[in-house]
Amino acid sequence: MIALTASGSGTQMVSFLTKHGDRLVAEDLAVSHWAPTQLSGPVVCGLLARELEEHCPPGFVPARMTAELFRPVLNAPVELRSEVVREGKRILVADAAIVQDGQVRVRASAAFLMTGSAPPGQLWSPAIDLPMPPEGLLSPDGSPPLFKSGDRDWTHDFAANQNADRKSSWQSMPPLVEGEPLSPFQRAAMVGDTTNHVCHWGSQGAGYINTDMTLTLSRLPIGHEIGLRADNAIAAEGISVGTATIYDRRGPLGSCVVTTLSNARRLVDFAVPTDESGVPVR
């Protein structure tokens, strides 16, 4: 059992969660923009990835993770459950869930694949121009995200990116749990949840909320920086599907897809003043 409660300490955050005995305490950084009583999507996906990767055999990599976010995870005690669904010589599939008060709040599955040699021959692949900011702007210990809208420059300024242009983000996540190194899989899963932010952040704010997230990876990220570039957003009658490329400084890693619902009554307006860390002040 893991207890997640708001610290309310007002001290500088160096992680999303801190350990207090056998509990994890959610710092302000872990709280959702949608509601102060809920944990944010990146934290939820990070916890699920943290649980799932315990089942990854040596020589395998996490090639796909799907998180179904059908109920909010409250800032309250949680239970993490996981199991291996199928284990073979070249593929392992595992499931995980976050449970509160005996009720499954979210669940996820992951496919771990054994690495090996590529087959002979040549394959078509697109020429991809992925935007990257100069090196050294983000700390390995975590930094506020950088955003790029259209042909504009990279900036931490949220208000400058509240528009209808195509967006990219560049992120260095702080540790999920204080004292634990952030694994490459956890890092990718947390950034993957923010696909909604590059695909569905428009001129009036963020008005769609994730119902699921699928992250596909041909390899794990290298280094502390991960980029997302919006590739598509297809919307009809309050439902929108967003797709983004996830990448690092060596090139593309895979793709992220989110299915979202209109949440217009709780539209998050990011065109508000920010603190010295670039975080919107509410």
Side-chain angles (χ1 to χ4, degrees):
M1 183 71 67
I2 301 173
L4 298 172
T5 54
S7 68
S9 63
T11 58
Q12 183 178 2
M13 300 299 106
V14 295
S15 63
F16 288 95
L17 308 165
T18 55
K19 292 182 179 179
H20 288 239
D22 61 351
R23 300 180 304 147
L24 293 178
V25 174
E27 301 290 357
D28 290 344
L29 193 62
V31 177
S32 172
H33 284 292
W34 298 109
T37 58
Q38 301 173 10
L39 298 184
S40 69
V43 173
V44 171
C45 289
L47 284 171
L48 290 168
R50 180 175 177 261
E51 181 71 14
L52 286 165
E53 69 182 349
E54 292 295 321
H55 301 293
C56 184
F60 284 58
V61 296
R64 193 269 306 157
M65 172 183 167
T66 297
E68 297 178 348
L69 311 170
F70 44 79
R71 291 189 180 98
V73 176
L74 304 177
N75 195 352
V78 304
E79 178 186 356
L80 280 161
R81 300 176 182 172
S82 63
E83 63 176 349
V84 173
V85 177
R86 193 265 184 184
E87 184 173 4
K89 294 182 179 180
R90 303 181 66 193
I91 180 171
L92 183 144
V93 177
D95 289 350
I98 292 179
V99 180
Q100 290 181 313
D101 297 326
Q103 185 180 56
V104 174
R105 310 295 294 187
V106 298
R107 65 185 182 188
S109 66
F112 300 95
L113 305 183
M114 185 180 70
T115 59
S117 301
Q122 296 180 339
L123 293 174
W124 172 87
S125 62
I128 303 177
D129 182 17
L130 298 171
M132 299 179 194
E135 295 192 41
L137 296 181
L138 301 185
S139 167
D141 299 322
S143 295
L146 286 164
F147 293 100
K148 178 180 177 62
S149 294
D151 295 329
R152 297 176 177 86
D153 291 334
W154 291 95
T155 177
H156 292 293
D157 186 356
F158 281 73
N161 288 279
Q162 186 149 296
N163 51 56
D165 290 348
R166 182 184 192 177
K167 292 182 177 59
S168 299
S169 67
W170 193 252
Q171 304 187 55
S172 174
M173 288 285 183
L176 177 64
V177 178
E178 183 184 30
E180 291 185 11
L182 190 63
S183 75
F185 182 41
Q186 293 172 29
R187 188 183 300 276
M190 295 173 74
V191 172
D193 182 79
T194 68
T195 298
N196 192 27
H197 210 171
V198 295
C199 291
H200 297 124
W201 181 14
S203 60
Q204 298 298 312
Y208 287 91
I209 188 169
N210 285 1
T211 62
D212 60 42
M213 183 278 291
T214 295
L215 167 70
T216 62
L217 296 170
S218 63
R219 63 175 177 87
L220 287 169
I222 297 171
H224 63 281
E225 300 168 301
I226 296 184
L228 276 179
R229 186 198 64 181
D231 290 335
N232 210 344
I234 303 172
E237 299 180 338
I239 299 172
S240 186
V241 177
T243 306
T245 297
I246 184 169
Y247 58 102
D248 59 14
R249 289 201 178 272
R250 298 197 181 189
L253 304 171
S255 63
C256 302
V257 181
V258 292
T259 308
T260 66
L261 277 171
S262 172
N263 205 28
R265 289 181 298 176
R266 291 186 177 179
L267 186 78
V268 179
D269 184 359
F270 286 102
V272 295
T274 60
D275 63 18
E276 64 276 7
S277 298
V279 176
V281 177
R282 297 189 169 279

